Amino acid sequence: MEASSSLRFQVSRFSSFKIWLCLFLVLVLQNCSPALSDSPYLVGMGSYDITGPAADVNMMGYANAEQIASGIHFRLKARAFIVAEPNGKRVVFVNLDACMASQLVTIKVLERLKARYGDLYNENNVAISGIHTHAGPGGYLQYVVYIVTSLGFVRQSFDVIVNGIEQCIVEAHNNLHPGKIYVNKGDLLDASVNRSPSAYLNNPAEERGKYKYNVDKEMTLIKFVDDESGPIGSFNWFATHGTSMSRTNSLISGDNKGAAARFMEVWAEQNGIPKQAAHVNHDGLESSHMTSRLPRRVSPIIPEPNEITDDLVQLASSYEASGGRRLSSSSITKRIRSTQQNRPKFVSAFCQSNCGDVSPNVLGTFCIDTGLPCDFNHSTCNGKNELCYGRGPGYPDEFESTHIIGNRQFQKAVDLFSSASEEIQGKIDYRHTYLDFSKLEVNVRTSTGSQQVVKTCPAAMGFAFAAGTTDGPGAFDFKQGDVKGNPFWRLVRNLLKTPGKEQVECQAPKPILLDTGEMKEPYDWAPAILPIQIIRIGQLAILCVPGEFTTMAGRRLRDAVKAVLTSDNSGEFNNIHVVLAGLTNTYSQYITTFEEYEIQRYEGASTLYGPHTLSAYIQEFQKLATAMVANKEVPTNFQPPDMLDKQIGLLPGVVFDSTPPGVEFGDVSSDVPASSTFRKGSVVNATFYSACPRNDLLTDGTFALVEKLDGSNSWVPAYDDDDWSLRFKWSRPSKLSPRSFATLEWTVPGDAPSGVYRLRHFGASKPLIGSIKHFTGTSRAFAVR
């Protein structure tokens, strides 16, 4: 009886335990299941400074040997997203504020990722794309033709980009959390025009009739939402060239797409995106309550001011220029930025697409001598191409044009971001291969409807390449639409390399100016081995192409890939969105349609591998798409060369910096006027005795700073050289002079709080003997109403 009772008690106790265990497991599963079902992905965002040398280095894009960097408009960034299936595949997409991706950069980034993560990130699932700004330092590509104007390879340009890409991927990897992704699309009508309309018109009328515009107006945006922090970033693809800044600009700039990214990241910060609690900066001051008042990248700890009074003006006049002083290291500039490092940040990237014939200079093309429109077919003025320029919406102010085109993209992105409701769901997948585009066999359809096998050609550039475009004309007597060439330049060409009969026939009707694919001294002038890649995230497919597709070329490629994907009977790809990511993983110039190639405007002359280049891309991308649908791997028999050890750089290093006797680095040369007051919109200048910015890039730091006097009689950072309003300009009195000057130019923003401010310069000087020394100096203070 007692034993039976005891047994019943134990059974009862065990049953109760099971019941409570079951209830516990149910609660756990209920709490976990939303994360598993509602958030099928892990998402992470990252960004890092890739601003290269702000002095002496030729800028990449216009191939203008006289366009030498001499300051900073705003800093350049690498931005990355990672999307991963828990315990499954993952992909990385990096967007660079650079002219284009570089094969050598990609190779070295992948080597670093392998050393850090093993095989987790590799050439198959990592894509690196450039926005195509023409205002970034060059010298970071490995092929000769792309580094001629930069006097060869510039190791400093190369290293900062490789390091920045690695760091932004590391940050994105460390930020991986459960989250969702949304996609949205919409038209942006006033940020792009076709700069080669005569070539576009050579496409079949029936094909052109399918489209309302002669450029792609659609922006595609993906929105990333962290389960805990909420929205954490967005990437979008829209086609327009990074040529709002002209070929004479000398300030490092991300151009219109870099500007748009800054505007959107500032917008997110002002709106408290991502979610964030109050944080403490390095001075121990709580600062989150100010984020809605100032669009700050450095420090939002500026207190709300009282009205400007005569006493405040008098207070400003009591602060004279500090005089230059030495710093123990450059770490002070990094600490300035570190005020916001401990809080989540919003990452926004404005990626490039099929921009080959697309210009942001939307007012049209005009002759600078007469003001009349340029010739339609050749973009010349009285036969001279160098007089024909496109005009941006802020003409004649290129900074204003950059602002306007950037702002239009930003506004559209905010609209798409705010209204995005289509959730991305489905597999993560990717396909990648390398191809030898110098001799690729291609099946094309003839005019009679039969199939014919043709080949691509070794790379070559036509005469119209040297004519440039209406965004940046060339020189001499070259012109677009030239299918003949001229005897004088043929003679000059032959001194370098005379193309053979087979090459001439293969490239026809292009008259060859530079036979770059067959020029091998001192090493390869142009690429032959190119990567192609498809990244799939659910119903989004990203076609990663290593060049600049024209509008119609991009349309044909997207349509061809979409047709393959949607032919799958499972319905898995029925709602697929296909975007084209231009200038990705490496660079091989332009890709036109066969019909556009025949016209031989700049884009056709720069289509390296002959008239069937686009057909080759379509054929090979269809193979990738077919393999993706069939869940098969794609073999590759090629690898691109790593020519880092062969690189030649002829840019002289910094020998030493100096100042006049009795003057210190950081002393003011030309100060803000005493007892001065400035209103919103006015410009404040101060010039400092400085040193070459190549001595230290101050990565993730700043050369220029606007400081504000706070209520406790101490100075806090307000604006830096990553801000639209503050420009850092560097100059020498003569080309070989060891003396130099830094001018800080601040346009007082309309939302700047009234108060007392001053300008501060940071730099690093190199003595003739000894190590580099860092310095700083400030202007006298001034009042802002």
Side-chain angles (χ1 to χ4, degrees):
M1 186 91 166
E2 290 178 0
S4 175
S5 176
S6 174
L7 181 61
R8 285 197 302 270
F9 174 76
Q10 290 177 1
V11 169
S12 174
R13 185 171 62 178
F14 181 72
S15 298
S16 298
F17 172 77
K18 287 200 298 182
I19 290 170
W20 283 110
L21 178 61
C22 290
L23 287 172
F24 174 76
L25 291 174
V26 168
L27 289 171
V28 168
L29 290 172
Q30 282 179 340
N31 287 329
C32 291
S33 59
L36 293 173
S37 61
D38 293 346
S39 300
Y41 304 122
L42 301 175
V43 296
M45 315 292 291
S47 64
Y48 202 78
D49 187 4
I50 58 168
T51 309
D56 301 332
V57 176
N58 182 252
M59 289 185 166
M60 182 63 196
Y62 286 116
N64 175 16
E66 297 179 357
Q67 189 189 13
I68 306 297
S70 60
I72 297 174
H73 179 206
F74 57 85
R75 287 191 169 253
L76 309 180
K77 294 288 182 67
R79 297 175 172 88
F81 72 73
I82 299 178
V83 180
E85 296 170 334
N87 304 315
K89 290 185 175 182
R90 60 182 58 202
V91 292
V92 183
F93 191 93
V94 181
N95 192 58
L96 304 178
D97 286 347
C99 194
M100 67 281 289
S102 155
Q103 185 66 74
L104 188 58
V105 166
T106 301
I107 289 171
K108 296 307 175 185
V109 167
L110 292 174
E111 287 179 0
R112 291 195 183 189
L113 293 177
K114 185 174 180 62
R116 187 184 287 269
Y117 298 111
D119 294 329
L120 190 61
Y121 302 112
N122 53 67
E123 64 191 18
N124 297 308
N125 66 353
V126 175
I128 302 172
S129 183
I131 64 170
H132 210 37
T133 175
H134 287 41
Y140 63 93
L141 288 87
Q142 69 174 347
Y143 296 101
V144 173
V145 76
Y146 305 130
I147 55 176
V148 169
T149 56
S150 61
L151 300 179
F153 190 69
V154 180
R155 187 62 189 248
Q156 203 171 32
S157 293
F158 174 81
D159 285 342
V160 73
I161 294 176
V162 172
N163 183 65
I165 296 171
E166 179 190 19
Q167 292 304 316
C168 79
I169 293 174
V170 169
E171 184 176 282
H173 176 87
N174 292 338
N175 286 336
L176 281 170
H177 294 105
K180 301 176 184 177
I181 310 170
Y182 298 87
V183 62
N184 203 1
K185 299 190 294 187
D187 286 349
L188 173 58
L189 301 181
D190 55 359
S192 57
V193 295
N194 196 306
R195 69 184 187 187
S196 288
S198 60
Y200 180 88
L201 287 173
N202 205 46
N203 291 307
E206 181 181 357
E207 182 180 35
R208 287 187 280 112
K210 298 177 183 178
Y211 304 99
K212 188 175 181 180
Y213 305 104
N214 63 0
V215 296
D216 282 341
K217 299 289 188 178
E218 187 172 73
M219 175 184 287
T220 301
L221 177 140
I222 53 176
K223 172 182 179 178
F224 299 91
V225 181
D226 185 287
D227 280 0
E228 294 185 3
S229 302
I232 54 173
S234 68
F235 275 52
N236 70 71
W237 289 265
F238 176 76
T240 194
H241 248 77
T243 49
S244 292
M245 302 295 289
S246 74
R247 67 193 299 273
T248 60
N249 163 63
S250 65
L251 299 185
I252 290 174
S253 174
D255 209 279
N256 58 69
K257 286 189 176 289
R262 263 139 193 78
F263 299 158
M264 190 152 185
E265 288 171 348
V266 168
W267 169 84
E269 183 180 323
Q270 289 177 319
N271 286 275
I273 305 173
K275 300 174 189 174
Q276 50 208 325
H279 71 283
V280 176
N281 66 25
H282 65 279
D283 290 322
L285 298 177
E286 186 175 285
S287 57
S288 66
H289 67 285
M290 290 304 303
T291 56
S292 63
R293 295 178 182 147
L294 286 172
R296 289 292 11 88
R297 293 184 170 279
V298 180
S299 174
I301 60 177
I302 301 169
E304 197 67 27
N306 297 317
E307 288 297 317
I308 285 288
T309 64
D310 291 340
D311 290 341
L312 203 53
V313 175
Q314 186 176 358
L315 177 62
S317 66
S318 69
Y319 287 91
E320 292 294 325
S322 67
R325 64 182 177 88
R326 293 288 183 188
L327 297 172
S328 58
S329 71
S330 65
S331 62
I332 181 66
T333 65
K334 291 180 173 58
R335 287 202 301 273
I336 289 166
R337 283 193 186 276
S338 70
T339 57
Q340 293 184 338
Q341 291 301 308
N342 294 326
R343 74 187 208 185
K345 64 181 179 183
F346 186 89
V347 177
S348 178
F350 286 68
C351 310
Q352 196 53 268
S353 191
N354 51 325
C355 67
D357 54 356
V358 187
S359 172
N361 297 311
V362 295
L363 297 187
T365 60
F366 298 89
C367 300
I368 60 174
D369 55 344
T370 65
L372 298 174
C374 304
D375 172 78
F376 180 77
N377 290 318
H378 301 289
S379 297
T380 56
C381 300
N382 294 319
K384 297 181 178 180
N385 80 90
E386 60 266 34
L387 299 178
C388 176
Y389 279 86
R391 292 181 181 177
Y395 175 83
D397 186 341
E398 62 189 293
F399 292 95
E400 182 62 16
S401 290
T402 301
H403 181 276
I404 293 171
I405 297 296
N407 188 62
R408 288 173 180 173
Q409 291 178 77
F410 153 64
Q411 294 287 352
K412 188 62 187 179
V414 168
D415 175 54
L416 296 176
F417 180 87
S418 302
S419 61
S421 59
E422 181 184 341
E423 185 177 350
I424 289 181
Q425 295 178 324
K427 291 171 55 177
I428 291 176
D429 207 354
Y430 41 80
R431 293 295 183 275
H432 174 284
T433 192
Y434 290 109
L435 301 163
D436 185 349
F437 265 79
S438 70
K439 52 183 179 182
L440 196 61
E441 290 190 349
V442 187
N443 287 293
V444 298
R445 187 178 297 276
T446 66
S447 58
T448 60
S450 61
Q451 291 289 320
Q452 177 186 5
V453 177
V454 296
K455 279 189 176 183
T456 55
C457 325
M461 295 151 69
F463 275 69
F465 158 79
T469 71
T470 56
D471 291 334
F476 306 110
D477 54 351
F478 295 102
K479 64 180 181 180
Q480 296 195 69
D482 185 357
V483 294
K484 296 180 180 179
N486 72 57
F488 174 75
W489 289 111
R490 289 183 192 277
L491 179 63
V492 173
R493 172 202 67 190
N494 293 344
L495 295 176
L496 293 172
K497 175 70 173 68
T498 303
K501 181 175 182 292
E502 183 179 354
Q503 173 75 325
V504 170
E505 291 175 351
C506 185
Q507 291 279 351
K510 177 197 294 178
I512 297 173
L513 177 64
L514 291 173
D515 190 16
T516 53
E518 299 181 317
M519 297 167 69
K520 305 294 182 181
E521 298 297 334
Y523 43 89
D524 290 357
W525 278 57
I529 310 300
L530 300 178
I532 62 170
Q533 182 182 35
I534 300 178
I535 287 176
R536 178 197 173 188
I537 307 170
Q539 67 266 37
L540 176 71
I542 305 172
L543 312 184
C544 301
V545 299
E548 304 176 60
F549 277 60
T550 60
T551 298
M552 194 64 84
R555 288 168 175 170
R556 290 184 189 177
L557 179 61
R558 287 198 308 263
D559 289 347
V561 171
K562 188 171 184 177
V564 172
L565 295 177
T566 55
S567 66
D568 176 37
N569 293 328
S570 70
E572 184 180 355
F573 296 93
N574 284 354
N575 298 317
I576 198 78
H577 302 278
V578 181
V579 298
L580 188 148
L583 306 117
T584 301
N585 294 327
T586 189
Y587 184 63
S588 60
Q589 294 174 249
Y590 286 74
I591 301 92
T592 65
T593 67
F594 179 87
E595 295 83 0
E596 291 165 348
Y597 186 91
E598 290 181 309
I599 301 300
Q600 280 298 296
R601 282 182 64 89
Y602 174 83
E603 295 81 14
S606 303
T607 296
L608 296 184
Y609 307 104
H612 304 294
T613 301
L614 175 60
S615 296
Y617 272 103
I618 291 174
Q619 171 183 284
E620 299 304 316
F621 263 99
Q622 285 176 322
K623 291 179 182 179
L624 289 190
T626 300
M628 182 172 283
V629 170
N631 198 27
K632 294 181 179 179
E633 297 303 314
V634 178
T636 183
N637 299 316
F638 303 100
Q639 284 292 323
D642 177 348
M643 299 191 294
L644 181 59
D645 292 339
K646 296 182 178 181
Q647 295 302 308
I648 298 172
L650 302 178
L651 179 70
V654 179
V655 180
F656 71 99
D657 300 287
S658 69
T659 58
V663 174
E664 300 291 334
F665 290 105
D667 281 355
V668 173
S669 167
S670 175
D671 208 348
V672 178
S675 302
S676 54
T677 301
F678 296 89
R679 296 187 177 276
K680 314 295 174 63
S682 56
V683 179
V684 187
N685 290 285
T687 300
F688 299 83
Y689 289 96
S690 190
C692 185
R694 291 164 60 200
N695 294 327
D696 189 333
L697 302 183
L698 299 184
T699 300
D700 214 28
T702 186
F703 289 100
L705 194 65
V706 176
E707 296 178 318
K708 186 177 185 296
L709 189 65
D710 74 3
S712 60
N713 205 35
S714 63
W715 295 94
V716 295
Y719 301 86
D720 71 1
D721 65 12
D722 194 27
D723 278 286
W724 183 268
S725 63
L726 181 60
R727 298 174 191 171
F728 163 64
K729 299 180 177 181
W730 182 83
S731 63
R732 284 191 181 103
S734 62
K735 188 172 184 179
L736 299 178
S737 175
R739 296 180 184 175
S740 62
F741 299 92
T743 297
L744 276 55
E745 182 180 287
W746 183 44
T747 302
V748 183
D751 59 355
S754 300
V756 176
Y757 292 82
R758 69 181 181 186
L759 306 179
R760 179 184 289 276
H761 170 48
F762 292 98
S765 63
K766 181 180 180 181
L768 189 58
I769 299 175
S771 60
I772 289 172
K773 305 292 184 183
H774 293 84
F775 63 86
T776 188
T778 68
S779 71
R780 65 165 56 97
F782 52 92
V784 169
R785 292 187 182 275

